[in-house]
Amino acid sequence: MSVEVAVIPAAGRGTRMRPATRVVPKALITVVDRPAIQYAVEEAARAGATEAVIVVDLDAGHLVQQHFLSGGRLPGLEHVKIRPVVQEEALGLGHAVREAAEAVGDRSFFCLLADNIVRPGHDVLGSLEAAADGLSAVCLRRLEDDFLSRYGVIVPGSAERADSTLDVAGAVEKPGPENAPSRLGLIGRYLFTAEIFEILARLKPGVGGEIQLTDAIDDLGRRGRCRGFVAAVDLLDVGTPEGLIEATAVLGENRAASEPE
Ligand code: UTP
């Protein structure tokens, strides 16, 4: 069964991109020639999604909608229905995903963090679908020490198989190098069955007082309901100035190379 809906949480505060994000939502910051959020919708469309549920804050909703719909449909996205959903308060990534529950219903869905853009030619959503095999699946990368305090890290439930998949037995948000259960970090691409919504509805605030998506992944893992896919390359992080510079270089070069003479 193919996945038709993608949830794109884009309602974070974007403090690491101040002052750019004082007025402009982080998801609408331009990377080369289009806003970050458009890359995520295009990626979901390439994987076959026909509906994008974009979780925005109160101010961004109409701007996001205007970007996708004013002046006619964007090329390549003619068949994607854009549905902004408002997260009134930035209570965490898990809370943002929970806000999409009504729009998604009982369907499985891709989840893409808009401030992480895939490198050209390195889409992972299809691999997540294959890895999930009817369960949920999370995209992983082997992390250096520094990153273990900044990402969610999984508890492996099996060895990594030849096809780069493994079972996930749990997850911990920002454990740090001393407490990390592995080096495999969650990197912003997921495929969830709708059971994640029941888990998120019961979650209490975790690290940083936020409702953490990682805590819901922990629950899925403990029940044997989650697989992992270890990606070959990392994503481009446009949520920081340094990351945005790298993303601009990589995506700009790709754009120049693919332009007709
Ligand atoms: P980040 O951890 O990057 O947080 O969120 P942030 O608030 O956007 O940015 P900083 O740390 O203040 O600079 C990861 C993803 O989750 C979304 C963000 O938009 C981003 O895509 N998010 C986070 C929400 O949609 N709502 C939240 O309450 C928190």
Side-chain angles (χ1 to χ4, degrees), residues 120-163:
H122 290 283
D123 283 8
V124 294
L125 297 180
S127 302
L128 283 184
E129 219 173 331
D133 198 19
L135 302 177
S136 293
V138 293
C139 190
L140 303 167
R141 278 283 292 167
R142 226 165 281 286
L143 300 180
E144 303 287 330
D145 267 10
D146 287 3
F147 290 87
L148 297 170
S149 317
R150 284 156 48 189
Y151 284 73
V153 176
I154 63 135
V155 182
S158 74
E160 185 179 333
R161 295 178 276 265
D163 61 358

Side-chain angles (χ1 to χ4, degrees), residues 8-18 26-27 55-56 87 89-97 112-116 150 173-174 210-211 237 239-240:
I8 307 177
R13 295 187 193 92
T15 49
R16 286 166 299 164
M17 284 301 287
R18 293 275 155 79
K26 185 165 67 166
V55 186
V56 289
Q87 182 191 24
E89 255 188 289
L91 298 178
L93 175 57
H95 181 262
V97 174
L112 302 82
L113 303 194
D115 47 8
N116 295 154
R150 284 156 48 189
E173 180 64 13
K174 302 185 174 72
E210 298 192 337
I211 305 281
D237 178 5
T240 67

Side-chain angles (χ1 to χ4, degrees), residues 12-58:
R13 295 187 193 92
T15 49
R16 286 166 299 164
M17 284 301 287
R18 293 275 155 79
T21 50
R22 276 166 61 99
V23 175
V24 177
K26 185 165 67 166
L28 290 180
I29 286 180
T30 302
V31 187
V32 185
D33 65 352
R34 61 199 66 196
I37 188 85
Q38 190 177 329
Y39 288 94
V41 176
E42 288 170 345
E43 180 189 347
R46 286 196 298 275
T50 52
E51 191 176 331
V53 178
I54 304 179
V55 186
V56 289
D57 65 20
L58 271 172

Side-chain angles (χ1 to χ4, degrees), residues 218-236:
D218 183 52
D219 194 314
L220 282 175
R222 285 169 190 271
R223 298 195 218 171
R225 303 280 301 162
C226 189
R227 301 262 159 79
F229 170 73
V230 184
V233 297
D234 60 355
L235 302 173
L236 297 161

Side-chain angles (χ1 to χ4, degrees), residues 176-237:
E178 319 75 40
N179 301 317
S182 73
R183 294 188 156 268
L184 292 171
L186 297 158
I187 61 160
R189 292 294 179 272
Y190 318 83
L191 193 174
F192 292 121
T193 59
E195 68 191 313
I196 191 100
F197 293 127
E198 294 153 35
I199 298 171
L200 286 168
R202 285 188 271 104
L203 274 188
K204 304 247 168 356
V207 173
E210 298 192 337
I211 305 281
Q212 295 287 353
L213 186 62
T214 302
D215 292 345
I217 294 167
D218 183 52
D219 194 314
L220 282 175
R222 285 169 190 271
R223 298 195 218 171
R225 303 280 301 162
C226 189
R227 301 262 159 79
F229 170 73
V230 184
V233 297
D234 60 355
L235 302 173
L236 297 161
D237 178 5

